[in-house]
Short mmCIF file of all heavy atoms in Angstrom, two decimals:
data_model
loop_
_atom_site.label_atom_id
_atom_site.label_comp_id
_atom_site.label_asym_id
_atom_site.label_seq_id
_atom_site.Cartn_x
_atom_site.Cartn_y
_atom_site.Cartn_z
N ARG A 67 88.50 96.11 99.36
CA ARG A 67 89.91 96.47 99.22
C ARG A 67 90.15 97.95 99.48
O ARG A 67 91.13 98.33 100.11
CB ARG A 67 90.39 96.12 97.81
CG ARG A 67 91.86 96.40 97.56
CD ARG A 67 92.21 96.21 96.10
NE ARG A 67 92.00 94.84 95.68
CZ ARG A 67 92.93 93.88 95.76
NH1 ARG A 67 94.12 94.17 96.26
NH2 ARG A 67 92.67 92.66 95.33
N GLN A 71 92.74 99.36 102.21
CA GLN A 71 93.87 100.17 101.78
C GLN A 71 93.88 101.51 102.50
O GLN A 71 94.95 102.01 102.89
CB GLN A 71 93.81 100.39 100.27
CG GLN A 71 95.06 101.04 99.67
CD GLN A 71 96.27 100.15 99.76
OE1 GLN A 71 96.25 99.02 99.27
NE2 GLN A 71 97.33 100.64 100.38
N GLU A 210 94.48 92.14 91.69
CA GLU A 210 93.50 92.85 90.88
C GLU A 210 93.80 92.65 89.40
O GLU A 210 94.95 92.59 88.98
CB GLU A 210 93.52 94.35 91.21
CG GLU A 210 92.95 94.67 92.56
CD GLU A 210 92.81 96.15 92.78
OE1 GLU A 210 93.79 96.86 92.50
OE2 GLU A 210 91.76 96.60 93.21
N ILE A 272 94.37 111.23 88.02
CA ILE A 272 93.74 110.98 89.32
C ILE A 272 94.56 111.68 90.39
O ILE A 272 95.79 111.65 90.35
CB ILE A 272 93.61 109.47 89.61
CG1 ILE A 272 92.87 109.24 90.93
CG2 ILE A 272 94.97 108.79 89.63
CD1 ILE A 272 92.52 107.77 91.17
N MET A 274 95.63 112.04 94.29
CA MET A 274 95.69 111.28 95.55
C MET A 274 96.96 111.63 96.30
O MET A 274 98.03 111.78 95.70
CB MET A 274 95.60 109.78 95.29
CG MET A 274 96.65 109.24 94.32
SD MET A 274 96.55 107.45 94.11
CE MET A 274 95.00 107.32 93.26
N GLU A 277 99.34 107.05 97.16
CA GLU A 277 98.93 106.26 96.01
C GLU A 277 98.36 104.90 96.42
O GLU A 277 98.95 104.18 97.22
CB GLU A 277 100.11 106.05 95.07
CG GLU A 277 100.56 107.32 94.35
CD GLU A 277 101.72 107.05 93.42
OE1 GLU A 277 101.47 106.71 92.25
OE2 GLU A 277 102.87 107.16 93.86
N THR A 278 97.21 104.57 95.85
CA THR A 278 96.62 103.24 95.98
C THR A 278 96.42 102.69 94.57
O THR A 278 96.70 103.36 93.59
CB THR A 278 95.27 103.32 96.72
OG1 THR A 278 94.40 104.22 96.01
CG2 THR A 278 95.46 103.85 98.14
N ALA A 279 95.95 101.46 94.49
CA ALA A 279 95.76 100.84 93.18
C ALA A 279 94.78 101.66 92.32
O ALA A 279 93.74 102.09 92.81
CB ALA A 279 95.22 99.42 93.36
N HIS A 280 95.15 101.88 91.08
CA HIS A 280 94.31 102.67 90.19
C HIS A 280 94.70 102.38 88.74
O HIS A 280 95.76 101.81 88.48
CB HIS A 280 94.46 104.17 90.47
CG HIS A 280 95.84 104.67 90.25
ND1 HIS A 280 96.82 104.62 91.22
CD2 HIS A 280 96.43 105.22 89.15
CE1 HIS A 280 97.95 105.13 90.73
NE2 HIS A 280 97.74 105.50 89.48
N ALA A 281 93.82 102.78 87.82
CA ALA A 281 94.09 102.60 86.39
C ALA A 281 93.60 103.84 85.65
O ALA A 281 92.48 104.30 85.86
CB ALA A 281 93.40 101.36 85.86
N TYR A 295 98.86 101.67 88.65
CA TYR A 295 99.64 101.06 89.73
C TYR A 295 98.80 99.93 90.32
O TYR A 295 97.61 100.12 90.59
CB TYR A 295 99.96 102.12 90.78
CG TYR A 295 100.60 101.61 92.04
CD1 TYR A 295 101.77 100.86 92.00
CD2 TYR A 295 100.04 101.89 93.29
CE1 TYR A 295 102.37 100.40 93.16
CE2 TYR A 295 100.64 101.45 94.45
CZ TYR A 295 101.79 100.70 94.38
OH TYR A 295 102.38 100.25 95.54
N ASP A 296 99.40 98.76 90.52
CA ASP A 296 98.62 97.60 90.99
C ASP A 296 98.40 97.59 92.50
O ASP A 296 97.76 96.69 93.04
CB ASP A 296 99.29 96.30 90.55
CG ASP A 296 100.66 96.07 91.18
OD1 ASP A 296 101.07 96.89 92.03
OD2 ASP A 296 101.32 95.08 90.82
N GLY A 297 98.92 98.62 93.20
CA GLY A 297 98.70 98.71 94.63
C GLY A 297 99.66 97.89 95.45
O GLY A 297 99.63 97.93 96.69
N LYS A 298 100.52 97.14 94.81
CA LYS A 298 101.46 96.28 95.54
C LYS A 298 102.92 96.64 95.24
O LYS A 298 103.66 97.01 96.12
CB LYS A 298 101.20 94.82 95.19
CG LYS A 298 99.83 94.33 95.65
CD LYS A 298 99.62 92.87 95.32
CE LYS A 298 98.26 92.39 95.81
NZ LYS A 298 98.01 90.96 95.50
#
Side-chain angles (χ1 to χ4, degrees):
R67 183 188 298 271
Q71 189 67 56
E210 289 187 312
I272 183 171
M274 55 178 68
E277 291 181 89
T278 57
H280 62 274
Y295 172 56
D296 65 4
K298 296 181 179 180

